Amino acid sequence: MSKFSSKNLEKKKISKKIKIVTVGFLVSICITFLILLFGNIQKPYIKIARTSAESFEYLFYDNFFKVSTGKVSDNHLDNNKVSVANSYDPNILIVDVDEASLSKLGNYNTWDRDVHAKVVEHLSRGGASAVAFDIMFKSADFGERKTDQSMNILKHIRPDLPWDSIRPDIKEHYNFDSLLVKTIKDGGHAITCFEFADYSMYKHETMWRPLSTKDRADELGYKATFALDQVDKPDNLESKDLLDNIFPELAEAGMFMGSVNAYPDDDGVVRRLSMLYRFPNVNLDSVNMNVESRIYSTLALMTVLHLYHQKPENVDIKMGHYIDVGKPFGVYRDSSGEMRTTFPHFSYPMFKALKEKLEHYRNSTKEEFIDITSKIVATKNDDSTFSFELFEGQIVAPTVSQAILDLDDSVFEKLKDEDEIQLSENITIAKDEEADGRYLITDSEEDEEAIITPYIASTIKYFKNRILNLEVDKPAHLSLDMDIRYDIEANQWKSNLVILSHDVLIDILQASSEKIENLKPGEEMRFGNVKRIPIDEYGRYQINYQSRFNTDETNRAFQHVSYYDVLWNRVDESFYQGKTFILGSAAPAMFDFVNGPHEEHYPGVLVHATVLQNILNSKFIVNLEEHYQQIIVLLLALICTLLGLFIKSYISISIAVLMMTGYTFFAYYSFVNGMYIGMAKQLLVILLTTVAASIVQFYYESKEKRFLGNAFKQYISPELIDAMVTNEIMPTLGGEKSNITAYFTDIASFSTFSEKIGDPSRLVELLNEYLTAMTDTLLGNKGTLDKYEGDAIIAFFGAPMPLENNAQSACDTAVDMQNKLMNLRKKWKSEGDKWPKVVHDMHMRIGINTGDIVTGNMGSTMRKNYTMMGDAVNLAARLESAAKQYGAYIQISEDTQKHLSEGRFIYRSLDTIRVIGKSLPVKTYELLQKTGCEMESELKTLVVIWEQARRAYLAMDWDKAIGLFNKCLDYEPHHPDRDPGSKTCPSLIYIKRCEAYKKNPPVAPGEVWDGVFTATEK
């Protein structure tokens, strides 16, 4: 029961809630503001705080990479025939200057450049689509140094001979620089590299000055650069001092050149790669002040432009957004009128075959490999004959190759009706019995044969003129092995060639063949989605590492091929066809290692390989834009503040922990799908706002609880105090009327106790034990202790906290107290002579009444007590004292009885009494026990007989009443013969009263008696 009126209570509750919410939100706003202020790492408000914020964020970012790259996954198709390992990238490989190469070829610094030339030559002959160098060649002397050394030696040995005449021959022998340049130029698929450096790396200006000027840029050329107007915000780009570690002839020989710089973050970890740099640095000094710089890019991006056949001037750059390199694949008609595709070695016949198969399988529901084209390599021999290399490693003899070259397409139509056709005197063609769609050409004289398909024949015919004009021993790659499959689970087309992504294949399928064939010279048609490489506002690309290096080889993202094996042709050259190779080193002796977010000691060459793989496969990782992260932080702060303010602390903190766990899993899921949504700010705001809001809630509740504890701890149980805090009930000076139950107890004949016990201290000991037991019982039943008056306990039920049924709680307490007293009596008796017999026979009386009672803090502003007052209180006191007139121990009023649940208690009507100080009579009852007690049967029998006797008594049938009351004596629980210390019982009282009324009737004959008994003592 509240101490306030409902209206005032609601106002108080609202006021308190407003205060808690206001303070809670103010604290949360401050916390959130500070988190957003110091936690913005994309566009920091306070730059000095950026490092700490980044470090905190990188804890989560790096661990996400550690988890994602630590997984081993294999993809398998559903059918039992095909299995695809998802570890090595099939299109990008590393030609590794590994420990084996260093061991067999010696110290890397002693290698002549013909080693690299031969590697490039073998890769080019094998049909590599791109050869990218992560190996730098700082300068070239074109054999001068070794020629001088040789000449000095020769002159020292035989100074008399004219050695100068053979100097050109010696120089040509040692001119490995020119050999490397020529090999790269002839191959037509190499991307060379350079490094940007700071002038401070050099001791003397004469050493670095030539590397810093426009002349340096001019001598290297601009074919691999972007103009400033291709970038919307060129001032955001970093300007570099020196363009180093490449010589002009090499730069000119390659298709493009790109930077291999990989600068770490402040903590030494390479998470991003600057994709764009400005050179020359116009701010370096006055020499470059009026020079217009150009924009240079990375090895990976230049390799992409080569594979896409894209000119740098067509690239569009939006700082903070993307580098747009256009659509990845296309067909075009060159100036001679020949149709070509943009991907190296991907011929137009391949394109036509692909389009035909896509149209045929456009509605396919099977997940299987579909062979589209096969390998065709044509080579002109020294004797001007031709040889073809076909699928399954076939090296076709010149006679059979010539037969294929001369083959007419109509022969395949004829073979539908004939088993074999004679092509020439010794050469025949027949169906291959082992596979449909394949044909066997046989040269019976040379005992040579080859298996071909109509596609092979038509492709060779398409390139017949080109084949006839081949240079000797310069292989031409006319077709690649190509297959596609439809991945039902991913709902995408896939191919073994990286260029053929799903969007490219769909565009090819939907493209008009007529429009393609009608392209004019110089026109092209592109397919697929526009490739946009995400960059930040400074042109940096966020690297999406796919695997670790320091793990089992089968779990690496890139296959490493030994430099030595490629050099000495220990790898079948057909393995190189259509692939991209990056030349570099993962050998510890080369010291080309960086720290990655996923592992330390990560080869630098793999950084560039990873960026290239990311771009080609569109496997980007980007940060969610800061303003979206801020929205997430604000929403989380709002949710957690509300949880902390309105839910119990342990629940809100548990929910916060679950939210943090759930958010982490969601963030990781987003991360592996290419979006890092941020962790540090979000988890921090969840934790701090929840804790802060819980502290605010706890502070106000603790404050109230302390106040209520001080005000009520002597009156009510701690549980009720908690309930008052929950229901926001606060004590104030004054009181409020409400319908509650007053409760009075007293020890019968207590005045005799002091006489028998004698020692006051022992009396206090006894009284304390009794009052403690009774008070515990009272508080346990949610009663409120008003005060002690000697041995008497004054209490009430229903205030300050409302109870569901305060009258019933009071009756429960009364029965429990009587049972507790019986236990105490047994205990005291067991203690022998410690206590006199009057203690062993102690009885207590209880009076209970329910009515309108005023409760509240009453007293002065300096001192007040929480108490009750009112007529209903006085009646409860009178019922307690009047109980002794009946020999009853629990007397309750009718106002209390009518609130009791039916069947819960055993009680009997006791009397209709007019107590001292009350003019109106009150109907009272004696509460005997709760149902389910040991004496339930006897007590219920007593009640039945008693009520019959009471009816006879009220009818003034005294003899019948006396007879029935005498029967009740056999069941009276407190009959003096059965209950030591009890002086009388209600049945004995009524027998005496009936005998008295029999002699002196309460009313004159003929009058109606109301049955009211007027008490003559309190």
Side-chain angles (χ1 to χ4, degrees):
M1 180 64 206
S2 173
K3 302 174 295 300
F4 314 106
S5 67
S6 297
K7 186 175 181 180
N8 289 335
L9 179 57
E10 287 303 318
K11 287 182 178 179
K12 291 284 186 181
K13 287 182 178 181
I14 292 171
S15 176
K16 177 192 170 185
K17 287 179 180 177
I18 290 174
K19 185 184 295 184
I20 292 176
V21 169
T22 301
V23 174
F25 269 100
L26 284 174
V27 172
S28 292
I29 287 170
C30 291
I31 291 172
T32 306
F33 173 76
L34 291 174
I35 290 174
L36 294 178
L37 181 66
F38 291 100
N40 186 346
I41 62 176
Q42 294 183 24
K43 296 179 180 179
Y45 303 115
I46 301 177
K47 292 186 178 181
I48 196 172
R50 180 173 187 165
T51 301
S52 299
E54 281 184 333
S55 299
F56 191 25
E57 192 69 70
Y58 289 157
L59 288 174
F60 302 100
Y61 183 84
D62 293 356
N63 276 294
F64 279 4
F65 266 122
K66 286 181 174 68
V67 174
S68 65
T69 59
K71 291 183 177 179
V72 179
S73 61
D74 291 310
N75 288 345
H76 299 278
L77 299 187
D78 292 337
N79 60 57
N80 296 323
K81 297 181 179 179
V82 182
S83 176
V84 183
N86 192 31
S87 52
Y88 286 151
D89 187 301
N91 296 285
I92 303 173
L93 293 93
I94 310 299
V95 182
D96 193 352
V97 181
D98 57 4
E99 293 292 350
S101 302
L102 295 172
S103 174
K104 293 172 181 177
L105 298 177
N107 189 308
Y108 176 78
N109 294 326
T110 66
W111 290 11
D112 290 324
R113 288 178 178 172
D114 66 328
V115 171
H116 305 292
K118 289 177 183 178
V119 168
V120 173
E121 181 184 4
H122 292 156
L123 293 174
S124 298
R125 286 180 62 88
S129 295
V131 178
F133 278 90
D134 185 28
I135 297 173
M136 293 179 288
F137 303 96
K138 183 176 180 64
S139 60
D141 65 359
F142 300 99
E144 288 290 347
R145 183 173 60 85
K146 287 196 174 183
T147 299
D148 289 342
Q149 290 174 349
S150 299
M151 291 295 293
N152 290 335
I153 293 171
L154 291 171
K155 288 179 179 180
H156 179 75
I157 295 173
R158 294 293 304 272
D160 56 316
L161 295 178
W163 297 114
D164 290 339
S165 62
I166 64 170
R167 180 182 174 88
D169 296 329
I170 296 175
K171 180 178 179 181
E172 184 178 356
H173 177 77
Y174 285 122
N175 192 0
F176 301 125
D177 295 324
S178 292
L179 177 62
L180 176 61
V181 169
K182 183 177 184 303
T183 305
I184 287 175
K185 187 173 184 178
D186 290 347
H189 300 295
I191 298 90
T192 56
C193 71
F194 61 88
E195 181 182 40
F196 284 114
D198 297 328
Y199 71 90
S200 58
M201 296 175 65
Y202 288 85
K203 255 188 177 183
H204 307 290
E205 183 177 352
T206 54
M207 299 174 67
W208 63 258
R209 174 62 68 186
L211 304 176
S212 68
T213 63
K214 184 177 183 299
D215 290 340
R216 173 62 169 170
D218 290 340
E219 68 178 5
L220 296 179
Y222 298 104
K223 65 182 179 182
T225 65
F226 309 117
L228 291 181
D229 58 12
Q230 289 178 252
V231 183
D232 62 341
K233 298 176 182 177
D235 291 340
N236 285 11
L237 295 176
E238 182 182 4
S239 293
K240 303 304 291 184
D241 298 342
L242 312 178
L243 202 164
D244 203 356
N245 292 316
I246 190 170
F247 58 91
E249 292 81 1
L250 187 66
E252 183 62 29
M255 296 299 295
F256 295 112
M257 65 175 185
S259 161
V260 290
N261 293 82
Y263 296 109
D265 292 328
D266 292 339
D267 58 356
V269 177
V270 176
R271 299 181 182 87
R272 295 168 291 199
L273 193 71
S274 292
M275 299 294 284
L276 305 164
Y277 299 96
R278 291 180 63 170
F279 180 82
N281 184 358
V282 297
N283 298 317
L284 182 60
D285 54 27
S286 59
V287 174
N288 294 329
M289 187 174 299
N290 298 318
V291 173
E292 182 177 344
S293 57
R294 298 281 293 183
I295 297 172
Y296 292 75
S297 189
T298 62
L299 179 70
L301 182 57
M302 289 297 113
T303 304
V304 170
L305 293 185
H306 166 68
L307 294 174
Y308 286 7
H309 196 257
Q310 189 64 271
K311 297 178 181 178
E313 56 262 33
N314 294 332
V315 173
D316 184 31
I317 302 169
K318 301 291 183 186
M319 300 298 289
H321 297 284
Y322 55 78
I323 300 173
D324 185 338
V325 295
K327 294 184 176 183
F329 183 71
V331 294
Y332 65 96
R333 193 177 297 276
D334 65 15
S335 58
S336 68
E338 183 178 346
M339 291 295 292
R340 297 178 179 271
T341 75
T342 55
F343 190 72
H345 304 311
F346 194 114
S347 62
Y348 187 65
M350 289 179 64
F351 176 80
K352 291 178 69 176
L354 172 62
K355 186 165 176 55
E356 288 174 6
K357 283 292 178 77
L358 283 172
E359 290 172 350
H360 179 74
Y361 287 97
R362 69 190 308 158
N363 297 318
S364 174
T365 58
K366 293 182 179 180
E367 191 162 2
E368 60 182 347
F369 283 115
I370 303 167
D371 290 325
I372 307 295
T373 62
S374 58
K375 174 183 178 180
I376 306 174
V377 181
T379 304
K380 189 174 185 178
N381 304 315
D382 292 336
D383 58 0
S384 296
T385 60
F386 299 96
S387 297
F388 294 120
E389 183 180 350
L390 306 180
F391 64 93
E392 296 180 354
Q394 297 181 86
I395 305 297
V396 184
T399 55
V400 178
S401 296
Q402 187 64 48
I404 297 172
L405 187 62
D406 297 335
L407 195 64
D408 193 303
D409 289 343
S410 62
V411 72
F412 298 110
E413 286 294 324
K414 295 176 182 178
L415 283 171
K416 291 181 179 179
D417 302 321
E418 301 179 39
D419 293 334
E420 184 178 271
I421 294 176
Q422 192 80 28
L423 297 178
S424 63
E425 183 178 355
N426 301 312
I427 298 178
T428 60
I429 184 170
K431 292 179 182 178
D432 183 6
E433 296 180 356
E434 296 182 2
D436 292 337
R438 301 205 306 187
Y439 300 86
L440 184 66
I441 295 182
T442 305
D443 182 346
S444 57
E445 183 178 357
E446 300 287 341
D447 195 22
E448 296 284 352
E449 63 181 20
I451 298 173
I452 66 168
T453 64
Y455 168 76
I456 291 174
S458 63
T459 301
I460 291 174
K461 183 177 181 180
Y462 181 88
F463 288 110
K464 186 171 184 178
N465 290 334
R466 181 178 170 188
I467 294 170
L468 294 173
N469 293 305
L470 284 175
E471 294 182 31
V472 175
D473 202 29
K474 297 289 185 181
H477 293 265
L478 309 179
S479 178
L480 307 174
D481 288 321
M482 176 174 58
D483 57 63
I484 61 172
R485 67 183 176 90
Y486 189 77
D487 188 329
I488 295 176
E489 183 178 346
N491 194 29
Q492 288 187 345
W493 283 102
K494 294 186 177 180
S495 172
N496 66 316
L497 296 180
V498 69
I499 203 70
L500 298 179
S501 59
H502 174 75
D503 53 289
V504 169
L505 292 171
I506 292 299
D507 273 10
I508 292 173
L509 174 63
Q510 296 174 349
S512 167
S513 298
E514 182 180 356
K515 288 183 177 180
I516 294 171
E517 293 295 337
N518 290 332
L519 287 174
K520 296 177 181 179
E523 290 183 344
E524 71 172 7
M525 181 181 292
R526 289 266 176 177
F527 308 101
N529 298 330
V530 170
K531 184 77 70 174
R532 289 180 168 175
I533 305 162
I535 55 174
D536 65 14
E537 60 181 337
Y538 302 106
R540 296 174 302 186
Y541 171 79
Q542 205 155 310
I543 306 170
N544 190 7
Y545 292 96
Q546 297 297 302
S547 75
R548 302 184 186 186
F549 174 73
N550 299 300
T551 184
D552 188 87
E553 285 189 14
T554 58
N555 296 329
R556 294 175 180 172
F558 304 102
Q559 183 176 356
H560 291 241
V561 182
S562 174
Y563 223 78
Y564 182 84
D565 291 343
V566 177
L567 172 67
W568 295 111
N569 253 341
R570 296 175 64 182
V571 179
D572 185 355
E573 287 186 354
S574 63
F575 174 72
Y576 307 145
Q577 192 179 53
K579 297 179 174 65
T580 296
F581 294 87
I582 301 180
L583 280 55
S585 178
M590 298 295 285
F591 302 105
D592 185 18
F593 288 87
V594 300
N595 290 329
H598 58 317
E599 71 171 344
E600 297 179 354
H601 209 63
Y602 188 71
V605 64
L606 296 187
V607 172
H608 306 294
T610 300
V611 175
L612 177 60
Q613 182 195 52
N614 290 170
I615 297 171
L616 293 178
N617 294 299
S618 296
K619 288 185 177 179
F620 303 124
I621 181 76
V622 296
N623 289 331
L624 183 65
E625 292 183 28
E626 188 64 35
H627 64 277
Y628 289 121
Q629 290 196 38
Q630 290 174 347
I631 291 173
I632 292 175
V633 168
L634 292 172
L635 288 175
L636 291 173
L638 176 63
I639 293 169
C640 294
T641 301
L642 293 173
L643 288 174
L645 291 177
F646 295 104
I647 298 179
K648 290 183 177 180
S649 297
Y650 71 92
I651 297 177
S652 62
I653 291 175
S654 299
I655 293 174
V657 171
L658 291 175
M659 286 178 64
M660 293 170 72
T661 304
Y663 183 85
T664 300
F665 278 108
F666 177 72
Y668 179 74
Y669 172 80
S670 300
F671 175 83
V672 296
N673 284 281
M675 174 72 74
Y676 183 68
I677 63 175
M679 283 287 294
K681 296 190 293 291
Q682 291 82 348
L683 295 189
L684 202 59
V685 81
I686 292 174
L687 178 64
L688 295 184
T689 54
T690 302
V691 171
S694 298
I695 290 173
V696 170
Q697 184 194 51
F698 178 77
Y699 170 77
Y700 279 97
E701 287 188 356
S702 297
K703 182 180 178 182
E704 291 183 356
K705 193 169 184 178
R706 286 193 301 272
F707 177 74
L708 289 170
N710 293 332
F712 289 99
K713 62 184 178 183
Q714 299 179 23
Y715 312 129
I716 60 177
S717 65
E719 292 79 11
L720 274 181
I721 292 177
D722 291 338
M724 290 176 66
V725 172
T726 302
N727 288 274
E728 302 173 15
I729 297 173
M730 296 294 290
T732 59
L733 188 61
E736 180 180 332
K737 181 189 290 185
S738 53
N739 192 272
I740 63 173
T741 299
Y743 187 95
F744 283 76
T745 74
D746 193 16
I747 297 176
S749 305
F750 182 72
S751 58
T752 61
F753 278 61
S754 57
E755 297 175 7
K756 298 292 184 180
I757 294 174
D759 187 352
S761 63
R762 294 189 65 218
L763 180 63
V764 170
E765 179 187 350
L766 175 67
L767 195 57
N768 283 342
E769 184 176 5
Y770 163 79
L771 291 176
T772 298
M774 297 305 115
T775 303
D776 289 345
T777 304
L778 170 73
L779 299 180
N781 284 284
K782 300 182 180 179
T784 301
L785 177 65
D786 187 332
K787 63 176 73 72
Y788 300 115
E789 287 186 356
D791 62 301
I793 299 174
I794 302 173
F796 47 91
F797 291 80
M801 264 298 297
L803 299 176
E804 184 177 351
N805 189 333
N806 55 67
Q808 191 156 281
S809 295
C811 292
D812 282 333
T813 304
V815 175
D816 291 345
M817 279 189 174
Q818 294 291 359
N819 293 334
K820 176 69 76 172
L821 180 58
M822 289 298 296
N823 292 332
L824 286 175
R825 287 167 61 181
K826 292 176 183 178
K827 173 182 177 293
W828 292 331
K829 190 173 183 179
S830 68
E831 291 173 354
D833 297 335
K834 180 178 180 180
W835 304 109
K837 189 175 184 305
V838 67
V839 175
H840 301 166
D841 299 337
M842 182 189 291
H843 284 73
M844 65 182 294
R845 293 187 301 270
I846 302 172
I848 302 173
N849 180 44
T850 302
D852 291 336
I853 298 172
V854 176
T855 56
N857 283 286
M858 300 176 192
S860 68
T861 54
M862 295 295 293
R863 184 184 179 96
K864 54 192 173 187
N865 289 319
Y866 191 71
T867 186
M868 62 177 174
M869 61 177 56
D871 287 342
V873 176
N874 296 332
L875 177 57
R878 298 292 184 267
L879 292 177
E880 180 274 315
S881 62
K884 65 183 178 182
Q885 299 180 34
Y886 296 91
Y889 294 101
I890 305 175
Q891 184 171 207
I892 65 175
S893 69
E894 184 179 24
D895 287 337
T896 298
Q897 179 271 334
K898 66 184 180 182
H899 288 94
L900 304 183
S901 299
E902 186 175 352
R904 184 179 180 88
F905 297 98
I906 302 172
Y907 54 85
R908 57 181 168 181
S909 60
L910 192 56
D911 206 349
T912 302
I913 185 174
R914 185 178 289 110
V915 297
I916 300 297
K918 295 282 288 184
S919 58
L920 296 176
V922 178
K923 188 173 183 179
T924 65
Y925 295 82
E926 182 188 13
L927 188 62
L928 298 171
Q929 259 295 354
K930 294 180 183 179
T931 54
C933 65
E934 293 181 3
M935 299 175 59
E936 180 177 1
S937 178
E938 292 86 345
L939 292 177
K940 286 187 174 180
T941 301
L942 169 63
V943 171
V944 171
I945 300 171
W946 173 270
E947 295 302 334
Q948 292 174 1
R950 277 276 296 160
R951 284 194 292 272
Y953 165 77
L954 293 174
M956 295 190 294
D957 188 349
W958 312 118
D959 291 331
K960 183 179 179 181
I962 291 171
L964 290 169
F965 283 129
N966 275 308
K967 286 184 179 181
C968 289
L969 292 176
D970 295 333
Y971 302 99
E972 283 285 356
H974 298 294
H975 192 286
D977 294 341
R978 286 189 288 275
D979 182 12
S982 180
K983 296 178 180 180
T984 185
C985 65
S987 293
L988 290 174
I989 296 298
Y990 266 92
I991 290 171
K992 291 179 182 179
R993 190 185 294 179
C994 287
E995 288 175 348
Y997 281 155
K998 184 177 179 180
K999 296 177 181 178
N1000 298 300
V1003 294
E1007 292 184 9
V1008 178
W1009 182 43
D1010 58 8
V1012 174
F1013 177 78
T1014 300
T1016 58
E1017 57 183 283
K1018 291 185 178 180

